[in-house]
C-alpha cells in the first residue's frame, strides 16, 4: 500500500523536511515538505536523491563477529553478538577500570540515540570517554558561543536571511554545503537588490556567485581580518557604544588590543587589499541588519574557537544581535550536531548543555539519573581518544554511525590506533566503510527512513524523524542497540542502578526524559513533546512548559546567560595555521565539499547521478603553480604532506590564488587507492574546542608519469550497480592510481580508472574482463597494439555498447562516459573509442547536453524534448521532476520554455 511519511533529510544541518513515499515496505520516492519551515518544500541534489539511495544491497544486514584479528567476520545472532560485546567490555573494565573503554559517536545519530549512549558511558560505566565526529565539525562553534555569549545557542533563525541587508558568509561555501540556505539568500537578494553579500574564503567558491565582495584571505588569517574590521568600525564611530555599555563586558581591554590591527597591518597578514578590509568594515558597520553565516572554514582550525569569537565580536560591538536580520549564525555541518550538543554528547559536556567540569552540573545530572555521581575526570576528545587507543590506555572502543578511518586527520596514526585496539565494535548501517576493516564486531543499525526520533537543525529547530519502512535484515535502531547492551553490561557489572537508568520501552520515553532534563536550562524544551511536534510542526528551542511556540531569535532583551548577564569580549589574536608552507611543502592545501556528495560517500556513493559533477577526486591548482611544475590539466600528480600522500588527477582551479590548491574530502579507500584528503591533514587541535585543523595543510605536488592507463565503463541495471561496484573495489590496490564509482542519468555506468608504470600481465586484464562480464568475443570489437601495450575492447549487446575496456591508453573515456551515459553513442561509432586517435567522432555525435537540474539529473535536451512535444512547464516538471527540488534551475527551465515553445512558458 502506498504511504507518505513526513520526516527530515539525513544530510546537512539545514534540516530540510521531506515527505517519504513508500510502497510495500520499500521507499519509492521523496519530495520536500512544503510545510517544513526550514525548506518550504525545497531539497538539494543530495536530499532529492534520498529515495535512490534507500537500497538494501549495500547495507549491513546481520551482526558479524571475528574470533581473532586475522579471521574474517562471521554472521552471528544478536544474542551472541551482544553477549560477546558485554563480556569484552566488562572484562576490560574490571581489569583496567572504566576509562579503559570509550565511545565514538556521530552527528548523524538522533538525539534519543545520543542520549542513551551518553547515559551508558557517563552514568552506567562511569567514564567520560565519549566523543563524536561533531568534534571535527562544530566544537569550535560551541566553545566560541560559550566564551562570548555564555551558552551554546545560535541566536538566529533562517527567517533572518529575509530581513538582513548585509550577509557575511565566512568560512562557509553554503552554495554547496547548505544549498537550501543558500537558495534563501539568493531569493533575498533577488527581492532586495540592496542586500550586500560578502564572502570570506581563501578560494573563490561557488557561493561567490552572488557576492558583492569576495575577500580571498590567506588561510587561517580570519582573526586578523575581523579584528581589523572592528578597528575600522571603532575609528569611524560605527560601533554602538550604548549597546556595549549596557550589554557587554571586556570591551575596553579588547579595544586596547586592537591598536595593532590597522588595515595596513591586517592587509599584510591576510593578503587582502587594505581598501577591501575597510570597505567590508564600513558595509558591516553601516548595515541596518548584519547577519553572519559561518561554518567549517572558521571551525576546523587550531584557533577555531577564537575565529568564532572574533566574528561574534563584530556583532556585539555594533549591537547586531537579537534583532531581525542580525546575529552570528553558525551553520551546523551534520543533521544533528545540535541535538548531540543538547544531550551532552561530547567528552566535556553533560545533558542539557551542562558542563562536566562544573561540580553542580555533575550533581544535577547524577540526581536526574538517580545515580550517586558522574565521574569528574574529563573524557578524551576525538584526537586524544584515538591516541589513547594507540598507546593502549584505551583498550576497547565502540564506534557508532561514523567512519573515523577516513574522517579523522593523519590517517596513518588513526589506523594504527584502530589496529592496536584490543576490541573494536562498529555499529553501522553500511557494510563497507573504511572503518569496517578494523571492526571485531559489527552491529547492523537502522538508517534514514527506518528510524524514529528527533533532530535539531542549525536554527535550533527540533524536527521529527520518522520511520517509513522497516529496517532491512536484522538491523535495529541505534538507541535500542545501546539500551540492550547497557542492560546486559549493567547486569554483568552488577551495577544496582541499571534498571533505573534504562527503563525505556520506546524511543518517545527517551525523549521525555531528555525533555525533563532541560527544564530551567537555556534550551528548556519542557513544553515540547512528540504530540506537539505532530500537531504544530517542528519547533525552535527554547520551548518551556506553557509556551505555545518556540523562540526564533535569542537575546532580544540584551541579557546573556553569563554570570553578569553581559556578553563578553575575549582577547583574540591572529595566530598562523598549524603548518605553514615551506621549501619542502610549499603549497597550501585547502579541503572542501562537493554539492552532490556527503562525508565519506557511504550513502551518496550509491547513486549514479551524484557522480555526474565529479566522478573522481580532482585537485584544483593555480595555473602558475601548474606551469612551474610542468603539470598539465587532466594529468595525474602525487600530492604529499608530512603525513602521507595520494595520487589524484589535477585541473586548473578557477578562483584559487597562487600557492593554494583545493581537494574535496569525500573520497577514501572505498572509491580510490588511498586514504583521501584527511590523511594529509595535521592532527593539531584548538586549545579550547580540541577541534582539529582539517581545512589546511602544507603540501607539495609533483607529476607522476604513468605511461599505462586503464578505463572501464560498463552499463549496469539498477540491481547490478552496487554489487559490481563492490567487486571492482577489490582492484583498487592493484594499481598506484585507481578510482571506482558510478556515473549516469537515465542509465547507470560503473566506471573504473587506473594507471601504472607498466602494463600488467595479460592475466590481470582477463581477470578484469571477467569481473566486468566482458569475456567472450562473439560481440566484441578489439584493437590491440602489443608494441605500445595497448589492448582495447568494446562489447556490444543488442546493438548497443554494453562495456568498454581501454587498456594502455584511455583518453577516450572522457567523452565516452558521457556518450554512454546519455545512450547517444551509436555502435557504428565505437571504432572511435578504440582507435589510436583520442578524438571523439564528432562534437555533434557525442556532445553531452548540459545538466540543467542537478537535483533530478535532467539535461537540457530532455527538457527541450518535452517542450517540443507540446508539454507545459507544469507537465515538464511533473514528468521529469526538474525544478521541483531546490528550484535553483527554474529560471533556466523557463528560459528554455520561452525559446523552445513560447506558449509553454
Ligand atoms: Fe538535505 Fe540538502 Fe536540505 Fe541539507 S540542504 S538538509 S542536504 S536537502
Amino acid at each position: 500500500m502506498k504511504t507518505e511519511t513526513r520526516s527530515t533529510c539525513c544530510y546537512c544541518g539545514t534540516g530540510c523536511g521531506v515527505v517519504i513515499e513508500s510502497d510495500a515496505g520499500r521507499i519509492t520516492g521523496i519530495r520536500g515538505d512544503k510545510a517544513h519551515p526550514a525548506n518550504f518544500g525545497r531539497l538539494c541534489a543530495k536530499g532529492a536523491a534520498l529515495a535512490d539511495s534507500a537500497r538494501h544491497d549495500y547495507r549491513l544486514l546481520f551482526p558479524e563477529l571475528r574470533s581473532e584479528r586475522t579471521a574474517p567476520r562471521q554472521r552471528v545472532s544478536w544474542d551472541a553478538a551482544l553477549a560477546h560485546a558485554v563480556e569484552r567490555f566488562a572484562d576490560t573494565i574490571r581489569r583496567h577500570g572504566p576509562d579503559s573503554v570509550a565511545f565514538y559517536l556521530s552527528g548523524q545519530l538522533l538525539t534519543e540515540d545520543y542520549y542513551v549512549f551518553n547515559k551508558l558511558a557517563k552514568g552506567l560505566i562511569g567514564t567520560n570517554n565519549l566523543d563524536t565526529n561533531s568534534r571535527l565539525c562544530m566544537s569550535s562553534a560551541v566553545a566560541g558561543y560559550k566564551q562570548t555569549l555564555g551558552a551554546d545557542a545560535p541566536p538566529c533563525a533562517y527567517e533572518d536571511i529575509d530581513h538582513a541587508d548585509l550577509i557575511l558568509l565566512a568560512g562557509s561555501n553554503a552554495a554547496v554545503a547548505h544549498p537550501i540556505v543558500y537558495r534563501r539568500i539568493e531569493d533575498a537578494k533577488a527581492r532586495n537588490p540592496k542586500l550586500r553579500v560578502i564572502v570570506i574564503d581563501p578560494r573563490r567558491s561557488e557561493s561567490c556567485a552572488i557576492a558583492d565582495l569576495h575577500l580571498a584571505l590567506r588561510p587561517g588569517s580570519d582573526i586578523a581580518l575581523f579584528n581589523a574590521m572592528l578597528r575600522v568600525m571603532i575609528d569611524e564611530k560605527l560601533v554602538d557604544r550604548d549597546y556595549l555599555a549596557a550589554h557587554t563586558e571586556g570591551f575596553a581591554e579588547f579595544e586596547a588590543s586592537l591598536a595593532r590591527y590597522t588595515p595596513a597591518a591586517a592587509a599584510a597578514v591576510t593578503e587582502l587589499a587594505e581598501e577591501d578590509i575597510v570597505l567590508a568594515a564600513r558595509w558591516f558597520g553601516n548595515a541596518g541588519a548584519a547577519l553572519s553565516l559561518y561554518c567549517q572554514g572558521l571551525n576546523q582550525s587550531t584557533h577555531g574557537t577564537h575565529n568564532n569569537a572574533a566574528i561574534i565580536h563584530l556583532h556585539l560591538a555594533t549591537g547586531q544581535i537579537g534583532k531581525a536580520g542580525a546575529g552570528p549564525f553558525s551553520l551546523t555541518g551534520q543533521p544533528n550536531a545540535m541535538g548531540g550538543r543538547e544531550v551532552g554528547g561530547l567528552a566535556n559536556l553533560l545533558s542539557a548543555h551542562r558542563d562536566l567540569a562544573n561540580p553542580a552540573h555533575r550533581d544535577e545530572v547524577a540526581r536526574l539519573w538517580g545515580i550517586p555521581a558522574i565521574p569528574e575526570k574529563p573524557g578524551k576528545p576525538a584526537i586524544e581518544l584515538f591516541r589513547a587507543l594507540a598507546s593502549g590506555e584505551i583498550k576497547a572502543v565502540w564506534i557508532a554511525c561514523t567512519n573515523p578511518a577516513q574522517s579523522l586527520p593523519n590517517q596513518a596514526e588513526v589506523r594504527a590506533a584502530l589496529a592496536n585496539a584490543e576490541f573494536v565494535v562498529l555499529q553501522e548501517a553500511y557494510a563497507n566503510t573504511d572503518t569496517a576493516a578494523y571492526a571485531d564486531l559489527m552491529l547492523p543499525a537502522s538508517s534514514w527512513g527506518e528510524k524514529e526520533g528527533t533532530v535539531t537543525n542549525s536554527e535550533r529547530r527540533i524536527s521529527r524523524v520518522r520511520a517509513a519502512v522497516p529496517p532491512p535484515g536484522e538491523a535495529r535502531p541505534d538507541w535500542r542497540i545501546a539500551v540492550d547492551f547497557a542492560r546486559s553490561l549493567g547486569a554483568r557489572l552488577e551495577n544496582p542502578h541499571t534498571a533505573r537508568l534504562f527503563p525505556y520501552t520506546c524511543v518517545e520515553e527517551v525523549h521525555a526524559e531528555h525533555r525533563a532534563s532541560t527544564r530551567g536550562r537555556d534550551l528548556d524544551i519542557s513544553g515540547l513533546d512528540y504530540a506537539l511536534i505532530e500537531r504544530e510542526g517542528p519547533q525552535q528551542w527554547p520551548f518551556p512548559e506553557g509556551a505555545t511556540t518556540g523562540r526564533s531569535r535569542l537575546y532580544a532583551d540584551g541579557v546573556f546567560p553569563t554570570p553578569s548577564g553581559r556578553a563578553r569580549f575575549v582577547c583574540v589574536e591572529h595566530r598562523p595555521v598549524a603548518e605553514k608552507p615551506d621549501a619542502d611543502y610549499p603549497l597550501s592545501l585547502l579541503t572542501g565539499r562537493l554539492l552532490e556528495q556527503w562525508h565519506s560517500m557511504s550513502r551518496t556513493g550509491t547513486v549514479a547521478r551524484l557522480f555526474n559533477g565529479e566522478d573522481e577526486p580532482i585537485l584544483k591548482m593555480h595555473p602558475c603553480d601548474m606551469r612551474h611544475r610542468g603539470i598539465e590539466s587532466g594529468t595525474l600528480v602525487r600530492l604529499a604532506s608530512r603525513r602521507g600522500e595520494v595520487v589524484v588527477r589535477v585541473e586548473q582551479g578557477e578562483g584559487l590564488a597562487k600557492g593554494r590548491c583545493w581537494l574535496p574530502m569525500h573520497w577514501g579507500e572505498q572509491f580510490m587507492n588511498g586514504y583521501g584528503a584527511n590523511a594529509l591533514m595535521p592532527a593539531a587541535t584548538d586549545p579550547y574546542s580540541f577541534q582539529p585543523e582539517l581545512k589546511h595543510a602544507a603540501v607539495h605536488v609533483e607529476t607522476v608519469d604513468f605511461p599505462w592507463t586503464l578505463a572501464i565503463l560498463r552499463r549496469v541495471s539498477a540491481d547490478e550497480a552496487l554489487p559490481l561496484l563492490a567487486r571492482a573495489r577489490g582492484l583498487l590496490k592493484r594499481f598506484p592510481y585507481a578510482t571506482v564509482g558510478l556515473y549516469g542519468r537515465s542509465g547507470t555506468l560503473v566506471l573504473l580508472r587506473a594507471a601504472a608504470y607498466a602494463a600488467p600481465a595479460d592475466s590481470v586484464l582477463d581477470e578484469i574482463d571477467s569481473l566486468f562480464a566482458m569475456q567472450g568475443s562473439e560481440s566484441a570489437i578489439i584493437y590491440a597494439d602489443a608494441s605500445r601495450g595497448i589492448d582495447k575492447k568494446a562489447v556490444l549487446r543488442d546493438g548497443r555498447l554494453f562495456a568498454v575496456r581501454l587498456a594502455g591508453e584511455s583518453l577516450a573515456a572522457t567523452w565516452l562516459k558521457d556518450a554512454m551515459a546519455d545512450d547517444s553513442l551509436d555502435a557504428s561509432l565505437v571504432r572511435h573509442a578504440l582507435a589510436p586517435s583520442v578524438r571523439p567522432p564528432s562534437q555533434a555525435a557525442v556532445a553531452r547536453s548540459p545538466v540543467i537540474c542537478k537535483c533530478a539529473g535532467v539535461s537540457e535536451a530532455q527538457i527541450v524534448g518535452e517542450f517540443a512535444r507540446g508539454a507545459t512547464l507544469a507537465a515538464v516538471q511533473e514528468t521529469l521532476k526538474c525544478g521541483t527540488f531546490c528550484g535553483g534551475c527554474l529560471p533556466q527551465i523557463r528560459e528554455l520554455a520561452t525559446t523552445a515553445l513560447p506558449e509553454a512558458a
Side-chain angles (χ1 to χ4, degrees), residues 9 11-12 14-16 43-44 46-47 178-180:
C9 175
Y11 292 122
C12 81
T14 306
C16 296
L43 294 178
C44 77
K46 288 185 288 287
H178 298 91
I180 299 305

Side-chain angles (χ1 to χ4, degrees), residues 369-389:
W369 289 353
I371 58 173
I374 299 288
E376 182 181 347
K377 187 178 168 192
K380 293 193 184 298
I383 300 294
E384 280 184 39
L385 189 155
F386 280 84
R387 283 186 181 145
L389 213 51

